[in-house]
Amino acid sequence: MVTTSATAFLLALSALLHASRASASSFRPPQIVLNPHQDPDSSHTSSDPRLGAIASESKLCSRIGTDLLRAGGNAADALVGTVFCVGVVGMYHSGIGGGGFMLVRSASGAYESIDFRETAPGAASEDMYVGNRNGSVFGGLAVGVPGELRGLEYLHRGYGNLSWQRVMTPAIELAEGGFEVGEDLVRYMDVAEKFIYGRDFLSEEPAWAEDFAPNGTRLRKGDVLTRKRYAKTLRAVAEGGAGVFYEGPIAEATVEAVRASNGTMTLEDLRGYEIRSRAPLQAEYKDFKLASVGAPAAGAVVLSAFKTIEGYEGMNDAKATNLSTHYLDEALRFAYAERSSLGDPDFVSGTAAHQDTMLSEASAARKRSKISSDHTLPIEEYNPDGYEILENHGTSHIVAADASGMAISLTSTINLIFAGGLIVPSTGVILNDQMNDFSLPNTRNEFGYPPSPSNYIRPGKRPLSSIAPVIVEHASNGSLYYVLGSAGGAKIISAVAQNLWHVLDHNMSAIDALYEPRFHDQLIPNVIAFECNSTNPNCAPDGKAPHDLGKSDVGGLHPWAESGIGTGTARAFDNGTIAFMKERGHNVTWMPQGYSSAQALRVCWNGTFEAAGEPRQRDSGGFAV
């Protein structure tokens, strides 16, 4: 069914390309940033957006969210409606066949972390992919038990105002009536065809072609794509609740498709799925309180880095940008190393204690004592256990908030582009390949590092994730300030950290922070990759790879020209910063814009909202009303 080269190449390539794609330098996606902060399509009479805000990778979906706010809904209603919509139009990386994490701040200021990550089926085992590494990527054996619907239902029941059917209806109508194919979807379809499957499976396989090539030829930009089977499935969920996905005909169709493709999932696996409600992780940073989600997600990794840099003066000084970039990178390298010992707390004892240590003042001081302003360190100084740093894959992020102070930051994923290539023929649901996020024993990654036992497969276990949604309050009065998250696999952590840095230390607006250039350094491989655009001579204008970016740099090969990636809308790094980092021994390389795609909103001093969609995505949109 699938034509692939080495698995390492496939995984690294997918991690790169599953992040949202860079757009033309003249394009600026819809944002509401400066007063008046109003959706240009809004009929709201006030010029000040005080009702709420939402941002996602799709302006169509973000407008569904703001429409629900105007209809009397709150942030939970707006977010649920937007997530269902993103699953319709961004089906290549999210939908009800997947799962994720969310962080919820209630109107009273109380927090809840909701884990709706996929779980390993009951027949799964740590040696299930011996001699069959591609089995964790493609087909039924790669499918984890989906959690998205249980997560959204839990959120809506606990926090929503509008009816379940009301918040689902816009996405159902969009799937049924169709939507225009945009540039982001075209790029993802191209990548799936050229680099993952080696053929146009969206046109050749009947179950896919029904949606993507109804007339025998794959849809193009501007064509209308309908997902009538998926609409029917969503309508059944709207009328009967999430349970109809986990029991009954839809569940039977899911299990039949999985098992027909060499999978082991059973009806008992689906019926038994449960979300996990956990206490959030929290940390103070200067004048702010930061909250995020814990393991198996990566909130502790982001917060750990910020506890480390909190001890440095000048992180907010524009004249000290070079040194503060070095400090932030060093803090991230330590934090990524700490991540390798995390795992599902239901299965890995000591996870809570490890996260507490990561966020402690003593740990931050210990790391600062090792960090030098003059040079970087050998890998073993950060990662004494020598475990691999997992390269997780792509996602979609949505943020929402309302005037009551409720805020939600949610990340949804089915993992790789179009996941493992498995769609349920009768329901139109694209199933995840999240089993690929587990570590496999007796294997080493392409850099020679062994897997972490904390992330080995167990029945019912959740795999480690890079997802890191964050909500920020003012420490002085506990009021809501900033809501953020990102897609982009392992690049999520570095993208979230840098956006936080720009807003909290440099006092940027949400959109200005998104336009700042990003770097990525996950310790292994031992390189720091800087985003480049057309103003940087290291980014070739003809779309070819930069001269110093090759295999094993940030994890794999990079077919820039073919994927349409290269230049983008974000700003470029100053050459002085690059030189400064090289002088301190950092192994500098380059990456195209689009590795990560963040969404954010902020509450301004006067109580108005601003919302910002990722400028590296063509179809994103953030709106405040």
Side-chain angles (χ1 to χ4, degrees):
M1 167 181 154
V2 180
T3 60
T4 67
S5 56
T7 300
F9 161 76
L10 176 63
L11 301 186
L13 173 64
S14 298
L16 162 65
L17 298 176
H18 194 77
S20 299
R21 303 310 176 214
S23 55
S25 58
S26 61
F27 175 75
R28 190 178 180 95
Q31 327 290 339
I32 307 301
V33 182
L34 303 175
N35 281 333
H37 309 248
Q38 189 175 356
D39 183 336
D41 295 339
S42 172
S43 59
H44 194 57
T45 55
S46 171
S47 61
D48 291 330
R50 298 176 182 273
L51 189 60
I54 193 155
S56 77
E57 67 176 55
S58 166
K59 48 185 169 284
L60 281 174
C61 299
S62 295
R63 284 178 175 140
I64 284 175
T66 55
D67 286 346
L68 290 168
L69 286 172
R70 293 191 202 99
N74 60 17
D77 298 311
L79 182 122
V80 170
T82 301
V83 171
F84 275 118
C85 173
V86 170
V88 171
V89 304
M91 78 302 289
Y92 41 84
H93 58 44
S94 59
I96 64 174
F101 299 87
M102 71 178 100
L103 179 65
V104 183
R105 180 188 191 271
S106 71
S108 67
Y111 282 90
E112 184 175 14
S113 171
I114 303 171
D115 175 348
F116 56 102
R117 179 76 155 159
E118 302 91 332
T119 58
S125 65
E126 68 177 47
D127 60 354
M128 63 188 290
Y129 299 115
V130 172
N132 183 23
R133 290 291 298 273
N134 276 351
S136 72
V137 181
F138 299 109
L141 205 59
V143 180
V145 183
E148 178 127 336
L149 274 173
R150 286 299 189 201
L152 294 179
E153 180 185 62
Y154 180 89
L155 172 69
H156 181 262
R157 284 180 175 175
Y159 297 90
N161 283 339
L162 301 177
S163 73
W164 179 245
Q165 284 184 283
R166 175 67 182 87
V167 298
M168 287 192 66
T169 295
I172 295 169
E173 293 177 345
L174 192 64
E176 202 166 51
F179 55 93
E180 189 174 294
V181 174
E183 289 191 25
D184 289 340
L185 176 54
V186 169
R187 289 188 175 114
Y188 281 119
M189 291 192 294
D190 287 344
V191 166
E193 174 188 344
K194 296 177 181 178
F195 300 112
I196 298 180
Y197 289 85
R199 60 186 179 84
D200 189 6
F201 75 102
L202 294 172
S203 300
E204 295 173 1
E205 295 188 13
W208 291 96
E210 186 170 337
D211 292 341
F212 295 92
N215 297 315
T217 303
R218 202 186 78 190
L219 297 175
R220 300 178 180 179
K221 180 185 174 185
D223 291 339
V224 174
L225 190 156
T226 61
R227 301 186 65 197
K228 296 186 182 298
R229 294 170 296 169
Y230 195 66
K232 183 179 178 181
T233 301
L234 290 181
R235 194 173 298 281
V237 172
E239 294 172 355
V244 304
F245 181 85
Y246 294 92
E247 295 187 75
I250 295 175
E252 291 167 2
T254 300
V255 169
E256 181 181 356
V258 170
R259 296 182 77 87
S261 186
N262 198 39
T264 64
M265 188 185 298
T266 66
L267 289 172
E268 288 72 22
D269 289 327
L270 280 171
R271 191 182 303 118
Y273 182 86
E274 295 180 348
I275 64 100
R276 291 287 185 266
S277 172
R278 310 184 196 274
L281 299 178
Q282 294 183 296
E284 292 190 1
Y285 179 73
K286 299 182 177 179
D287 297 329
F288 304 98
K289 291 181 179 179
L290 282 60
S292 191
V293 298
V301 183
V302 172
L303 300 188
S304 172
F306 270 77
K307 293 306 296 181
T308 300
I309 65 172
E310 187 178 29
Y312 293 117
E313 294 187 6
M315 292 300 294
N316 61 347
D317 184 354
K319 296 179 180 178
T321 296
N322 293 347
L323 182 58
S324 56
T325 300
H326 168 72
Y327 283 147
L328 178 58
D329 181 46
E330 291 293 291
L332 283 169
R333 286 164 69 83
F334 273 108
Y336 271 101
E338 293 170 320
R339 174 179 179 250
S340 65
S341 296
L342 294 174
D344 183 343
D346 290 343
F347 290 80
V348 182
S349 62
T351 297
H354 179 54
Q355 291 181 132
D356 289 344
T357 298
M358 289 173 65
L359 305 186
S360 69
E361 298 292 347
S363 176
R366 177 185 59 81
K367 286 175 279 191
R368 284 194 299 272
S369 71
K370 291 187 174 184
I371 294 172
S372 169
S373 61
D374 297 325
H375 58 81
T376 189
L377 302 170
I379 286 180
E380 56 269 19
E381 291 292 326
Y382 309 93
N383 187 22
D385 292 331
Y387 290 136
E388 66 178 339
I389 308 296
L390 283 179
E391 177 62 65
N392 299 129
H393 311 297
T395 52
S396 179
H397 197 84
I398 303 97
V399 294
D402 64 35
S404 74
M406 180 185 293
I408 306 158
S409 185
L410 176 148
T411 309
S412 167
T413 178
I414 59 172
N415 207 28
L416 303 183
I417 304 172
F418 291 103
L422 184 56
I423 185 171
V424 182
S426 62
T427 66
V429 175
I430 301 170
L431 296 173
N432 70 84
D433 60 347
Q434 214 65 251
M435 295 296 290
N436 180 245
D437 279 355
F438 282 110
S439 298
L440 305 183
N442 303 315
T443 62
R444 290 179 179 265
N445 66 10
E446 62 182 299
F447 308 104
Y449 290 91
S452 169
S454 299
N455 196 43
Y456 285 173
I457 298 170
R458 294 288 184 274
K461 190 176 181 179
R462 290 159 158 83
L464 197 61
S465 171
S466 297
I467 291 172
V470 175
I471 297 177
V472 180
E473 296 178 348
H474 293 285
S476 59
N477 58 13
S479 62
L480 179 65
Y481 179 52
Y482 185 44
V483 186
L484 169 70
S486 180
K491 285 83 178 170
I492 290 172
I493 296 164
S494 54
V496 169
Q498 287 166 89
N499 276 276
L500 282 170
W501 180 38
H502 294 314
V503 171
L504 304 187
D505 278 311
H506 302 143
N507 198 31
M508 291 186 184
S509 68
I511 185 59
D512 282 339
L514 288 174
Y515 268 86
E516 285 297 296
R518 297 172 194 159
F519 66 81
H520 177 69
D521 187 344
Q522 63 185 54
L523 181 62
I524 301 171
N526 188 20
V527 295
I528 178 171
F530 289 92
E531 277 188 337
C532 52
N533 61 20
S534 58
T535 67
N536 190 312
N538 291 282
C539 288
D542 60 1
K544 295 180 181 178
H547 63 84
D548 60 349
L549 184 62
K551 193 176 190 308
S552 296
D553 291 339
V554 279
L557 297 172
H558 308 281
W560 287 30
E562 294 88 343
S563 68
I565 304 174
T567 60
T569 61
R571 303 176 182 114
F573 277 96
D574 184 271
N575 288 335
T577 300
I578 307 300
F580 185 91
M581 297 296 279
K582 287 183 176 180
E583 289 170 359
R584 273 143 191 80
H586 293 276
N587 297 318
V588 171
T589 188
W590 305 95
M591 64 180 178
Q593 293 178 8
Y595 263 105
S596 57
S597 51
Q599 318 293 335
L601 64 85
R602 191 175 68 132
V603 183
C604 301
W605 64 271
N606 61 354
T608 60
F609 289 92
E610 64 178 29
E614 174 59 74
R616 294 160 180 79
Q617 288 175 307
R618 187 75 177 181
D619 299 322
S620 69
F623 300 103
V625 292

